[in-house]
Amino acid sequence: MNTTATQPLDKLKIFSLSGIQMKTFHITWLMFFVCFFGWFGLAPLMPTIRVELGLTKPQIGNLIIASVASTIIARLIIGKLCDVWGPRKTAVRLLLIGSIPVFCVGLAHSYTTFLLFRLCIGIIGASFVITQYHTSMMFGAKIKGTANAVTGGWGNLGGGVTNMVMPLIFAAIVGFGFTKAEAWRYAMIVPGVMMLIIAFVYHRYTKDTPAGNFDEIGHSKAEAKKTDWSVLADWRVWALTLAYACCFGMELTFDNVASLHFVDSFHLSQSSAGFWAGIFGFMNIFARALGGIVSDKVGGKYGMRGKGLLLAGVLLLEGLGLILFAQAGSMLFAIISMLTFALFLKMSNGATYGIVPFINTKNVGLISGIVGAGGNLGGMLFGFLFKSSSITYAEAFTYIGYVVIAVSVVILITRFTKVFKVGEEKSVDDLAVAEI
């Protein structure tokens, strides 16, 4: 019997579909990609929706907050459900339930109903936790950071693609003779259908672990239901939560406001604004993966302390880049500074989850959920700045830049090392962590 087929992989064969590990790798990032596409499918269409529904700036701010607020709770719950049900069942159920508000948001004809649908759609953002959990199951300790960063980055790529593609779908529907008010509603059917398709694929072609599904390998649900709340006393978990709030939280915020910012500040058309907002998201194709790869390399040479220093460094550069972007007086400088802070923001995403799987190897799902929820908490809190009538978008970006720099200092002084208690039994994964 080939034991490699039932064990986590030590190498990322990125162009391979051989073995359950690599099939799961590609399907889980595609699942997150599709969810991200549905999650932010409305963002590039907001210039049209704003006019049709007569939305004010504070109301748009509330929509930004709603789109990420529900994901905070959902990510905490999904992390635990992965431990109990397994990532496969959790993903399929999330996709099926999450597709309902994506299909139905077109029924909204007022600010209130639109707000409620945005709140419900936000739950599909919890798919990120499934992706990180499932990838951690399929790969060994020395490659976890890279694998998690690639799946997370390629999934986040959905935010860039939806900014580019949804205005084109919208334009095509208008070309068929529908009004703009009808077109944005019908456009959301596309991500809904995509979610149903990927639900079938996830159920059919993935397994919870290389050895099989939880119910096939005797996974103890009773044991999984015992939540280890001791992780809440670990400062490193909260430091990483702050870090993720500042990188992924900012990414969510930018995906929501970029098109409106480019339309209002630089007078671009909806399609052009969506294109440039999409470029920001498209950097996920390599930047988040780069953060994970560098994290693994640094960890191999300098240990967990090196991983922490890397995260502090890229957060600092993200914050500085944000401040530059806020000061942009021309579209050219705005694009250059956007690409600069986007590179370090997405590297920060990867570097954060290059550390997460090693904080407590027995509670990967719970910690992934807590840190992941931190990203959405950051997005929600940043949303209040963009809601304010007295703060411009440029000022909001500046304030966030200062917050990111402050959190980089917190990460700098946090000691990311695996400390074993006297007499504590060490698993294979624990030993691998100690080695790096």
Side-chain angles (χ1 to χ4, degrees):
M1 180 178 178
N2 183 6
T3 56
T4 304
T6 60
Q7 296 296 323
L9 294 181
D10 290 325
K11 292 183 179 180
L12 181 59
K13 305 171 185 176
I14 205 162
F15 297 110
S16 172
L17 282 172
S18 177
I20 193 63
Q21 299 94 329
M22 290 311 304
K23 286 179 183 176
T24 299
F25 169 85
H26 286 294
I27 292 172
T28 197
W29 76 253
L30 183 60
M31 181 270 298
F32 185 38
F33 176 98
V34 169
C35 286
F36 220 114
F37 194 96
W39 190 10
F40 287 95
L42 292 165
L45 306 181
M46 281 305 295
T48 294
I49 298 170
R50 175 175 58 180
V51 173
E52 201 239 317
L53 297 182
L55 302 176
T56 64
K57 186 173 184 252
Q59 287 175 331
I60 292 172
N62 288 335
L63 292 169
I64 294 172
I65 294 167
S67 69
V68 296
S70 57
T71 318
I72 298 171
I73 299 174
R75 286 192 172 190
L76 292 172
I77 295 172
I78 288 295
K80 191 57 187 173
L81 290 179
C82 283
D83 286 329
V84 178
W85 289 344
R88 174 173 162 271
K89 287 182 179 178
T90 305
V92 172
R93 292 169 183 177
L94 179 65
L95 286 162
L96 294 177
I97 295 171
S99 68
I100 296 173
V102 173
F103 278 122
C104 295
V105 68
L107 299 176
H109 289 278
S110 69
Y111 161 69
T112 302
T113 53
F114 189 72
L115 178 68
L116 290 174
F117 277 118
R118 286 298 280 136
L119 192 67
C120 293
I121 289 174
I123 68 169
I124 63 178
S127 54
F128 168 75
V129 177
I130 301 171
T131 292
Q132 297 298 285
Y133 185 101
H134 216 166
T135 305
S136 294
M137 288 287 179
M138 294 294 168
F139 293 90
K142 293 185 179 180
I143 198 67
K144 270 183 178 36
T146 298
N148 280 342
V150 174
T151 52
W154 288 4
N156 284 357
L157 185 61
V161 173
T162 195
N163 269 304
M164 291 182 171
V165 173
M166 286 301 281
L168 299 179
I169 295 173
F170 169 86
I173 295 172
V174 171
F176 280 111
F178 293 93
T179 66
K180 290 183 178 181
E182 295 170 328
W184 74 261
R185 303 170 191 278
Y186 292 134
M188 286 302 290
I189 294 175
V190 176
V193 171
M194 292 166 64
M195 290 173 68
L196 295 182
I197 293 172
I198 199 65
F200 168 78
V201 173
Y202 216 100
H203 179 269
R204 178 68 176 81
Y205 296 105
T206 70
K207 296 282 188 180
D208 291 324
T209 72
N213 293 320
F214 278 8
D215 53 4
E216 297 169 344
I217 61 175
H219 176 76
S220 173
K221 291 186 179 181
E223 181 180 345
K225 288 178 182 176
K226 296 178 182 177
T227 302
D228 184 4
W229 295 113
S230 67
V231 301
L232 299 179
D234 190 338
W235 165 246
R236 297 171 302 168
V237 173
W238 298 113
L240 291 173
T241 300
L242 282 174
Y244 208 57
C246 287
C247 50
F248 189 65
M250 183 59 228
E251 179 167 359
L252 295 177
T253 301
F254 198 81
D255 281 333
N256 265 317
V257 304
S259 289
L260 285 172
H261 178 62
F262 288 139
V263 167
D264 294 344
S265 298
F266 301 102
H267 311 295
L268 301 185
S269 67
Q270 180 171 277
S271 295
S272 295
F275 173 80
W276 289 113
I279 292 296
F280 170 85
F282 248 93
M283 291 189 69
N284 275 304
I285 201 168
F286 73 92
R288 181 164 183 150
L290 181 62
I293 291 168
V294 175
S295 180
D296 280 343
K297 295 294 184 184
V298 170
K301 190 170 184 180
Y302 300 106
M304 294 297 288
R305 178 58 178 163
K307 284 175 174 272
L309 290 174
L310 170 69
L311 178 56
V314 288
L315 280 172
L316 173 63
L317 293 171
E318 176 200 339
L320 294 173
L322 266 168
I323 294 171
L324 286 176
F325 175 76
Q327 308 305 315
S330 67
M331 187 62 188
L332 177 60
F333 187 70
I335 295 303
I336 294 173
S337 54
M338 179 190 77
L339 295 178
T340 300
F341 89 75
L343 172 64
F344 296 115
L345 178 153
K346 294 168 195 300
M347 285 186 68
S348 297
N349 287 336
T352 300
Y353 271 83
I355 298 174
V356 166
F358 304 124
I359 293 297
N360 186 317
T361 57
K362 304 302 182 184
N363 291 280
V364 175
L366 180 59
I367 294 175
S368 292
I370 292 171
V371 176
N376 287 84
L377 179 61
M380 185 187 76
L381 295 176
F382 295 153
F384 283 101
L385 292 174
F386 293 93
K387 172 185 175 180
S388 173
S389 299
S390 60
I391 299 176
T392 66
Y393 278 12
E395 290 172 333
F397 286 126
T398 301
Y399 297 152
I400 294 171
Y402 288 130
V403 170
V404 175
I405 292 172
V407 171
S408 73
V409 175
V410 173
I411 296 298
L412 180 66
I413 63 178
T414 300
R415 187 169 178 260
F416 291 107
T417 54
K418 177 67 177 180
V419 180
F420 296 107
K421 297 177 182 177
V422 176
E424 180 183 356
E425 183 179 351
K426 304 173 183 64
S427 68
V428 173
D429 277 350
D430 287 333
L431 293 172
V433 173
E435 289 174 5
I436 66 171

